[in-house]
Amino acid sequence: MTRALDCTAEAAAYQRDWAKGLRARLAAGEPYAFANADTPMEVFHALGMPVVVNQWWSSVIAAKKLSAAHLAASEAAGFHGRLAKYSALPLFAAMDGRPEMQPWGGLPAPGLLCARASADDHPLIFAEWARLTGAPLRILSAPGHPDPAPDWWDMLRDGWEKGTGGDRLDLMVAEIEDLTALAEEVAGRRTPDGALAGLMARIDRQERLFDEAAQMIAEAPRCPIRISEMIPNVMIPQWHRGSDWALAHAERFRDAVAARIAEGAAVVEDEQVRMMWIGAGLWFDTGFYQAFEALGAVFAWSMYLPFAADGYLRTDHGDPMRALAARVIDLNEHLHQPPWAGAWHVKEALRARIDLAVIIVPESDRPSGYGTRFIARALEQAGVKTVTIEADMVDARAWDGDKARALVMDGIERARKER
Amino acid sequence: MSASVLLFGHGVPLSDPVLAGLAVRDITRLFQEPAPGSRIDALLEPFLDPYVRGFLLGMEARAFDEAAAIVVWRQGAGALHAYRYATELRRQGLLPAGPPLHLWNRAVSAGPAAQVFDARQDAQLTQALARLPRETPVDRAGPLAVLEAMQAAAQITGGEAFRRRLRARACGEPVSTAPVQAPASDRTAGPRFALAGAPLGGRELHAWLDRQGALVLDLQGPDAPRDDVGDLLTRRRVSVLVWQVDPNDDLHGWRKPALLRLCAKMGIRFVDLGFLSPWPQRPDLPKVLR
């Protein structure tokens, strides 16, 4: 059994301090942006404007076991139970209004709101936010790629102009410029000259470090750290991507992983079955990821670490704004939509020598649930066993942990027989 | 369906200048059962948008093969997934070849860049359809306005008005404004209904309402009026608004609380039928509206 990495605690401590500082800044009345995770939050980072990410805040609410109360209140208010939860829980919490039922006693009204129209319901969710808070709202377009190449990950690192399409990039650049102008107006200051370029360069370095860490973990004889450690070590720096701390932490993490591998460390000594978790985290039951280690089965992969490289590395070619547009233009779509998602997960499964893929299918978050059967089919065709679990990332009410564990154990047995 | 341009996506603008004079047909609300031995049904999630499902199963059944092109209107709910699934299923050889698919995007923002983007999208669509013959454009807006006025005045049943709108879109013709023979008295005796929520494909709910009053405002239908909803409810003297969504809805339900508040403010009774199939059957509905 491996001991926890020191940098995991450091990341958690940094996030706690940052959250404390953010809370103080918000309490002091500093305007902040409330934005979806697939928006160009580099705009806010370059400006030095605080940003609260919708899905991060959703996971905080869920982790504090507050989601059931807010979801029940939303249904009492007339929102039916099939509406998206992961992206709507913060709104429901804000509408609920009870400070004692919310992290930090609830968020103050944001200075601005931002989402992409990457899901049909996101503009409506954010319109409710705007109605509730009076904050100005920017919805960024999400025109579809007409001819997506399945193997997007290498091409987009450098050749994104051709790979994403000039028309869509022109539009996204204009919308990011408009968002920047709004953020500057709300903050009452201009983005310092060169700030975005500097930020993008540091993000590039950060993601290359995560790329190295992902490659090392994939190639290690046995999985050296749990995904419950991978996730905070990549996601906390990703929320702060391009900051000096994030860059330094990515390096610490990469080095810690290298050291662990050099020591011959393994999450499971007698590693027999390597598993990947496909989809967003199961935030209310993260212990699920360790539940199969006694059987010799380890979750060796989740999307967060490898996607830091493949989803974010975009050479700026002297135009950081356009490179940023290229990063966000299909950001979430790469993870969920065919043909991108299936091909990428197969590439990753083969790299990490995965035996069994466990796919979360959130029926009430359809943009995340869509495409999961294509992913499963692609993996099966590549020789990877699959298990699908119907669950929501933040709604524990319908979660049947025993059933889910039984499904995974059955998958482990199937994978074991194949080895 | 010879030499037609088939369009998929709720709200696709049949009268857009880009399509002027083309033989266009809206296939969005078609129902299609999976064929025995379907190769794609197992890949379609049970919660997939019902119209996206119908579109894909229609492609598998070769229902659209005679068309010159299929255009997917990105702004329609679920339309991008319809396009993604269709192109991927074709790429994997699970759907037959058939007419070329074209994705017709729109910016959601305003301003010069959005206008440029939309213009480029229109130019690409024009080019994709360049070989097709064009005739004198038909006037759709005029007859639709006439039909809308007939419905507002309870001169036509809600079911018949809905049938005519669906048919006009599916056939690419102007909507029929022919007078109806049924007596108006039955319809004007009961409550004046508005119907809202998720788009329906079948007419059983309309028929059920027609038996109990007059459906004078159909907000779920294709070509629904775009005026302010409060003004419409006032002008049409609506007394009951009936709401429904499909069992996997994750979109239209966002509009319900605001509509509920509006109705409460206006003294209009709000009746929520809950989750209802887009092609409802009589047993899906209560005996009478309560």
Side-chain angles (χ1 to χ4, degrees):
Chain A
M1 194 74 74
T2 62
R3 66 188 188 284
L5 299 174
D6 291 341
C7 61
T8 305
E10 289 165 15
Y14 178 85
Q15 186 72 354
R16 267 196 308 275
D17 288 348
W18 169 82
K20 199 171 161 186
L22 174 65
R23 185 177 180 181
R25 288 172 76 181
L26 304 194
E30 188 170 345
Y32 74 99
F34 186 88
N36 261 354
D38 65 348
T39 58
M41 55 191 70
E42 286 83 350
V43 165
F44 311 120
H45 293 330
L47 179 59
M49 183 183 209
V51 55
V52 174
V53 179
N54 186 22
Q55 287 74 16
W56 168 71
W57 190 244
S58 189
S59 67
V60 171
I61 295 169
K64 290 184 181 298
K65 315 280 186 198
L66 296 168
S67 52
H70 294 308
L71 293 171
S74 75
E75 289 171 27
F79 295 98
H80 69 68
R82 300 288 313 214
L83 298 175
K85 296 174 177 66
Y86 194 27
S87 298
L89 184 56
L91 171 67
F92 291 148
M95 285 177 160
D96 191 342
R98 289 173 288 175
E100 73 278 11
M101 292 291 290
Q102 303 193 54
W104 304 0
L107 293 170
L112 71 91
L113 298 155
C114 180
R116 276 179 68 229
S118 50
D120 292 332
D121 57 350
H122 286 172
L124 296 182
I125 294 171
F126 273 72
E128 282 293 322
W129 265 112
R131 187 189 64 78
L132 184 71
T133 64
L137 167 64
R138 286 293 181 276
I139 297 291
L140 307 178
S141 301
H145 194 307
D147 188 19
D151 53 343
W152 52 274
W153 48 89
D154 284 334
M155 174 182 59
L156 291 188
R157 289 190 182 197
D158 194 58
W160 43 260
E161 181 73 39
K162 187 175 173 216
T164 55
D167 292 354
R168 295 196 311 143
L169 282 174
D170 290 347
L171 175 64
M172 183 56 78
V173 166
E175 291 182 348
I176 294 175
E177 287 172 348
D178 176 62
L179 178 65
T180 303
L182 173 65
E184 290 176 341
E185 185 187 331
V186 169
R189 61 180 180 275
R190 296 289 311 279
T191 306
D193 288 344
L196 182 64
L199 183 75
M200 292 293 283
R202 288 194 299 278
I203 291 172
D204 189 85
R205 293 207 295 278
Q206 177 180 324
E207 311 305 16
R208 288 183 193 284
L209 289 162
F210 283 136
D211 201 19
E212 288 178 38
Q215 186 68 16
M216 286 191 289
I217 291 170
E219 290 177 348
R222 295 172 299 175
C223 181
I225 63 167
R226 293 191 171 97
I227 62 170
S228 57
E229 285 210 89
M230 295 180 209
I231 291 173
N233 274 297
V234 65
M235 284 315 293
I236 294 173
Q238 284 295 80
W239 296 133
H240 309 287
R241 57 185 176 265
S243 71
D244 291 339
W245 175 83
L247 183 55
H249 188 84
E251 192 166 356
R252 278 195 294 275
F253 174 62
R254 190 268 320 262
D255 293 346
V257 167
R260 278 294 161 88
I261 293 169
E263 291 168 11
V267 173
V268 174
E269 286 297 325
D270 182 22
E271 183 182 289
Q272 297 168 40
V273 175
R274 292 168 66 86
M275 301 187 290
M276 69 195 303
W277 175 266
I278 295 183
L282 195 63
W283 302 121
F284 53 81
D285 188 6
T286 49
F288 186 82
Y289 299 132
Q290 296 169 33
F292 311 96
E293 292 173 4
L295 303 172
V298 62
F299 275 108
W301 187 98
S302 92
M303 66 178 176
Y304 295 104
L305 180 58
F307 196 67
D310 287 340
Y312 287 77
L313 277 172
R314 301 291 180 266
T315 307
D316 79 5
H317 300 303
D319 190 345
M321 185 74 85
R322 200 164 179 86
L324 176 57
R327 175 179 295 157
V328 298
I329 199 160
D330 292 309
L331 187 62
N332 203 39
E333 291 87 329
H334 284 141
L335 290 170
H336 298 291
Q337 292 183 6
W340 291 318
W344 186 66
H345 283 100
V346 167
K347 183 265 285 191
E348 284 297 311
L350 297 179
R351 177 167 78 144
R353 309 180 323 277
I354 296 296
D355 304 296
L356 176 67
V358 180
I359 306 170
I360 184 171
V361 182
E363 289 187 4
S364 293
D365 198 332
R366 289 199 289 185
S368 299
Y370 283 165
T372 46
R373 292 189 175 192
F374 285 92
I375 294 171
R377 176 183 161 89
L379 286 164
E380 294 275 356
Q381 287 180 331
V384 179
K385 300 286 178 218
T386 63
V387 167
T388 54
I389 295 176
E390 292 169 8
D392 190 272
M393 289 78 79
V394 295
D395 185 2
R397 294 175 302 173
W399 170 243
D400 186 341
D402 291 341
K403 183 181 172 190
R405 283 170 174 78
L407 285 168
V408 174
M409 284 196 277
D410 178 63
I412 290 169
E413 281 311 305
R414 283 189 285 128
R416 211 191 295 272
K417 282 178 190 163
E418 287 280 316
R419 283 176 72 100
Chain B
M1 290 188 180
S2 59
S4 300
V5 177
L6 304 186
L7 296 124
F8 179 84
H10 294 287
V12 59
L14 296 186
S15 296
D16 192 283
V18 174
L19 303 172
L22 291 169
V24 292
R25 298 179 184 191
D26 183 349
I27 56 170
T28 309
R29 299 200 191 204
L30 296 184
F31 178 77
Q32 180 77 46
E33 288 274 16
S38 168
R39 299 176 74 199
I40 68 166
D41 194 39
L43 278 168
L44 309 182
E45 294 85 4
F47 49 86
L48 183 64
D49 180 279
Y51 299 102
V52 174
R53 175 183 302 279
F55 171 67
L56 296 168
L57 293 173
M59 289 184 75
E60 185 177 40
R62 312 202 77 133
F64 313 135
D65 278 11
E66 297 300 314
I70 301 173
V71 176
V72 177
W73 172 245
R74 164 68 179 90
Q75 296 307 94
L80 182 59
H81 282 93
Y83 182 80
R84 285 276 175 270
Y85 278 34
T87 51
E88 179 63 0
L89 290 167
R90 273 191 179 172
R91 191 180 72 89
Q92 294 194 19
L94 296 173
L95 277 180
L101 279 159
H102 186 96
L103 183 63
W104 190 13
N105 281 306
R106 272 286 179 274
V108 300
S109 57
Q115 288 169 9
V116 168
F117 179 80
D118 289 350
R120 288 175 181 168
Q121 286 290 304
D122 290 350
Q124 287 165 16
L125 180 57
T126 301
Q127 189 177 10
L129 306 176
R131 291 184 180 179
L132 299 179
R134 291 184 186 248
E135 298 176 355
T136 306
V138 297
D139 173 24
R140 289 190 175 82
L144 277 170
V146 171
L147 183 69
E148 198 63 48
M150 289 169 68
Q151 183 160 16
Q155 292 167 354
I156 186 169
T157 62
E160 175 61 13
F162 185 45
R163 186 193 70 78
R164 290 185 184 190
R165 290 192 188 97
L166 287 180
R167 186 180 185 283
R169 282 198 156 250
C171 299
E173 297 167 357
V175 73
S176 167
T177 57
V180 289
Q181 300 303 317
S185 56
D186 291 351
R187 294 192 295 275
T188 52
R192 292 172 67 83
F193 292 121
L195 176 59
L200 291 159
R203 290 185 287 138
E204 189 56 46
L205 175 55
H206 292 75
W208 180 74
L209 290 173
D210 286 335
R211 288 194 287 273
Q212 301 177 74
L215 176 54
V216 294
L217 177 59
D218 191 354
L219 293 167
Q220 66 72 41
D223 302 307
R226 293 185 178 180
D227 303 16
D228 177 80
V229 174
D231 291 345
L232 285 166
L233 294 171
T234 301
R235 287 204 305 267
R236 309 245 176 133
R237 293 177 287 115
V238 168
S239 55
V240 180
L241 187 142
V242 177
W243 174 268
Q244 50 69 46
V245 291
D246 86 72
N248 293 303
D249 173 67
D250 64 358
L251 180 66
H252 303 282
W254 284 104
R255 300 191 176 97
K256 181 190 145 187
L259 206 47
L260 188 59
R261 285 192 300 271
L262 178 66
C263 286
K265 190 175 155 191
M266 296 177 70
I268 294 171
R269 191 176 154 220
F270 187 100
V271 177
D272 186 357
L273 296 178
F275 297 118
L276 204 59
S277 161
W279 292 273
Q281 302 300 311
R282 186 67 189 85
D284 301 332
L285 299 164
K287 225 168 205 178
V288 291
L289 193 67
R290 294 186 192 280

